[in-house]
Structure formats: C-alpha cells, structure tokens
Amino acid sequence: MSHHLSWPSDDTASDRRRFMQLMLASPIAASLWQSHVAFGEEALPSADDARNVFDFHDVAQEKLSPAIYDFIMGGADDEKTIAANRTAFDKVQIRARRLIDVSNIDTSITLFGTPMATPILIAPIGGQVQVHEQGELATARAAYTRKHTMIASTVTNHSIGEIAEAHTAPVWFQLYASSNRDLVRHLLRNAKEAGCETIALTVDSAALGNRERQMAFGTGRGSGPRQRLGNFEGFPGPPIIGDPSLTWDFIKWLRDETDANILLKGIVTHEDASLCVTHGVDGLIISNHGGRQEESHRGTLEALPEIIAAVDGKVPVLIDGGFRRGTDIFKALAMGASAICIGRPYIWGLASFGEDGVAKVLDLLRAELV
Ligand code: FNR
C-alpha cells in the first residue's frame, strides 16, 4: 500500500531541536530552564510553561467538571490496575553505559509504512469534545504538527473522516466489535474512506468496566456522558458497541473484511500474543485499557517480557498504560517494545489548552525520552 505522507515542514521542529541542543549543551542553563517555573497554587499560565505532563493534570482537574474528570481518571473497582501500571515502571531501573556518542539521537520509526517522528503514538480515546470544544480535531492537529501517529477511537465525537482531514497524515482507526456485523462493516468502510490503513481492534472490552467513580454522577456502569458519535452517523440501526461472544473466529472474519493491517489492542499474556501470531495479525498492543476495564491486572510493563519472548520479533509489539515520563518510554523500548501509546496525559493537555496542550505534552515526552 502506498502512503502519501505530508507531514509539516521541519522548520519549527528543527528550531526547537537547535534550542534544545543549546540548552542541553549548557548544564547551568539547562538546570535554570528546568526550575524556572514555580507554580505553587497558581494555575499554569500557558501550555509552554508546563514542566512535565503532571502540570497539565492539575490544570485539567481544575477546569473539568468533577463528572468529566472522574470519567477520564477512573478505572475498574478499586483501581488497582491503574496503580499497577504506574508501579511497574518503578520496579525497573536503568543501567546506563557510558562513553557512547549520543550527540545525534534519532527517535524516528516507521510502522506499517507510517513514518513517525517518535515511537510515541496517541492512544484511542473517545468523546473528547466533553474535554475541549474542538475535541479530537485539536488532538489530530497537534499530533500532525508534531508528526505523531494518532489512533482514533470508534467512539469519537467527530467522525474518522473529519479527524483524518484535521490530521492530514495517515490516522489509524481503533475498532470496537459489535454483535451487529453490518455496523462493523459500516465502521470499516468509513475508516477506509478516511484513508486508514491500520486498524487496532480492541479486545479487552467484553464487558464495560465497573467504574464506581462514574456511578456517583449517575452516568452509570462504564458509560460516559452522551454526545454526538460521528462514526455511527448514516448507519440505520442502533449503535451497539461490544460483543461479549467475541472469539478468535472474529479475527478470521475481520481479515476477510478488510485489507488494512490489523493490530489487536488489549493483549496481556504470552498465550494470546502467540495466538495473535498464529492468526496472522500484523501487530499487537499490550494494554489493559488504562485500568478502566478490569481490576487486579499486572502493570502492562510486567507483561511485556513474556510477550516479547512469545512474539519473537514476528510482528511489532506496542504497549500502553501509565506512560507519563520519558524514562517510562525508554524502559519499554529497551525491553523490546516497538512503540508506546499515551492516553490520559494528552487528554490533560487537551483539557488545559486544547491543541497547544496536546502539542506540549508530546514535546515534553519526546524531550524527556531524548
Ligand atoms: C480510553 N481508552 C480507550 N481505548 C480504546 O480502545 N477505545 C476507546 O474508545 C477508549 N476510550 C478511552 C477513554 C478514556 C477517557 C481513557 C482514559 C482511555 C484506553 C486508551 O486507549 C489507552 O489504552 C489507555 O488510556 C492507556 O493508559 P493511560 O496512558 O491512560 O494510563
């Protein structure tokens, strides 16, 4: 398949790189730069003032209603899976080798024909208009200017066509299965028309997570507030998402329905990773849905080694869940992941400053990784 990429010109990125190099060349300047902001109780004045992604969390918490904030932050039951995703990173420490020329660090990768400036992808998150009026379009524009691949959710407010137009370079489409196969065909058709050549089928959502934070706001088991769902427009039937009867037979069915690359998102064991390979999928994303669906999982980073061993380089292995720092990303890459996806941090950026906030989250993570 051919990809006619039109990432933006490199001028802004290379200006920033030169600036970063200058700053990094001077340890004193770099340390001043790192510590010049002291927010205390004050809100972050602008996206550019953020020191790390957590600064955006604090602004998002202030700006969002408690119902929306808890919808984004929440997870299943006592949220032990969310905690495990973070603590898994602390169990891994870095052994740094010295005297290696690191003056030119190239973080770019190509996956399924899509060139990316960094191995940091935008994880699929639905309903972004509840966070910022421009929703997924702002996320798409930021991802585009920073040359990051975006995986657009099935349940976005804007349609996949609108998102792909805002992003301009190829967008990947996250697919939720439906017990109504005609609806799946409708979603696949829209994704194809929008130019998506890579589909991530989410397989961790046989049931909606028991998210008790949301119940307090009357938004029910696992569901968020109701809004426009652009991808279901034009489909005559009800938008039934999910199919608890899903098995590996569906992968064979999907393979026949689409010529797109197929990734399975939500794999957490070596057994299923091996089945991915035998079923001919093109890649997988280790994910527990950011702890939203099931309680008492391992952190995804803990599942990574057994999955890397089982896949044995046959297909790319991506991973998400709790990535908040460049060192988190570094650890996953060093342990064999091809790329990582971020979820909540870019939503904090979006809630705080729209497109600028998402762009800054991407800039921060890339700079930390380098
Ligand atoms: C998600 N996630 C998700 N995944 C998916 O496949 N389809 C979806 O529509 C959504 N929607 C969604 C909404 C919200 C509010 C969140 C926080 C997450 C899961 C997402 O793609 C990803 O797996 C996690 O967010 C990664 O974990 P972190 O980075 O949020 O810790």
Side-chain angles (χ1 to χ4, degrees), residues 71-72 85 123-126 153-155 174 176 202 265 287 289-290 292 320-324 341-345:
F71 169 70
I72 289 154
N85 279 345
I125 290 191
S153 160
T154 293
V155 289
Q174 175 266 325
Y176 276 128
T202 298
K265 175 175 183 279
S287 176
H289 217 108
R292 294 169 74 76
D320 74 22
F323 286 85
R324 306 289 181 263
C341 312
I342 52 161
R344 293 179 183 89

Side-chain angles (χ1 to χ4, degrees), residues 293-316:
Q293 294 296 83
E294 292 154 329
E295 180 60 302
S296 284
H297 270 244
R298 296 179 288 177
T300 50
L301 194 77
E302 291 173 84
L304 179 64
E306 68 177 50
I307 290 176
I308 291 291
V311 169
D312 196 22
K314 293 188 183 82
V315 294

Side-chain angles (χ1 to χ4, degrees), residues 18-281:
R18 273 195 294 279
F19 173 69
M20 286 289 293
Q21 275 162 356
L22 275 175
M23 294 304 284
L24 288 169
S26 156
I28 295 168
S31 71
L32 286 174
W33 189 51
Q34 299 261 320
S35 59
H36 81 279
V37 192
F39 299 118
E41 297 297 305
E42 292 163 34
L44 200 59
S46 78
D48 257 348
D49 291 305
R51 301 159 298 183
N52 53 53
V53 302
F54 300 108
D55 282 340
F56 289 110
H57 165 268
D58 299 346
V59 181
Q61 186 169 18
E62 257 177 43
K63 280 198 174 176
L64 295 173
S65 71
I68 304 293
Y69 174 77
D70 276 348
F71 169 70
I72 289 154
M73 298 302 290
D77 294 6
D78 299 310
E79 304 186 344
K80 288 176 196 152
T81 306
I82 295 183
N85 279 345
R86 290 293 301 139
T87 52
F89 291 110
D90 296 334
K91 294 179 197 157
V92 175
Q93 291 166 322
I94 293 169
R95 290 176 70 245
R97 296 290 307 279
R98 305 301 187 200
L99 299 168
I100 291 165
D101 182 353
V102 290
S103 52
N104 284 308
I105 294 176
D106 179 7
T107 59
S108 66
I109 60 163
T110 299
L111 272 180
F112 308 117
T114 312
M116 310 174 190
T118 78
I120 305 169
L121 286 84
I122 296 277
I125 290 191
Q128 294 182 27
V129 168
Q130 64 192 324
V131 170
H132 185 272
E133 58 192 4
Q134 290 170 24
E136 299 90 11
L137 301 185
T139 300
R141 283 193 292 266
Y144 170 69
T145 59
R146 297 320 196 249
K147 302 180 187 177
H148 288 248
T149 292
M150 172 172 180
I151 312 177
S153 160
T154 293
V155 289
T156 45
N157 299 129
H158 296 284
S159 71
I160 183 66
E162 292 161 346
I163 294 167
E165 209 176 299
H167 187 277
T168 310
V171 169
W172 295 4
F173 182 64
Q174 175 266 325
L175 178 69
Y176 276 128
S178 168
S179 48
N180 183 346
R181 296 293 187 260
D182 284 339
L183 177 56
V184 180
R185 287 192 184 97
H186 169 88
L187 295 169
L188 289 172
R189 206 165 34 242
N190 285 351
K192 186 172 182 167
E193 275 169 21
C196 301
E197 294 177 346
T198 301
I199 306 274
L201 173 72
T202 298
V203 293
D204 60 18
S205 303
L208 285 171
N210 182 47
R211 296 180 211 145
E212 295 177 3
R213 289 203 209 194
Q214 280 168 250
M215 290 173 198
F217 297 102
T219 45
R221 259 173 111 83
S223 66
R226 298 271 163 253
Q227 299 144 334
R228 175 193 173 205
L229 292 176
N231 292 329
F232 297 87
E233 288 168 0
F235 183 71
I240 299 166
I241 303 167
D243 179 358
S245 74
L246 211 67
T247 67
W248 291 93
D249 287 341
F250 182 79
I251 310 305
K252 292 180 202 150
W253 179 87
L254 187 60
R255 187 88 276 176
D256 290 340
E257 291 289 325
T258 176
D259 52 10
N261 301 299
I262 299 172
L263 278 81
L264 298 199
K265 175 175 183 279
I267 299 297
V268 290
T269 61
H270 71 83
E271 292 92 335
D272 285 342
S274 297
L275 285 169
C276 282
V277 173
T278 51
H279 283 79
V281 306

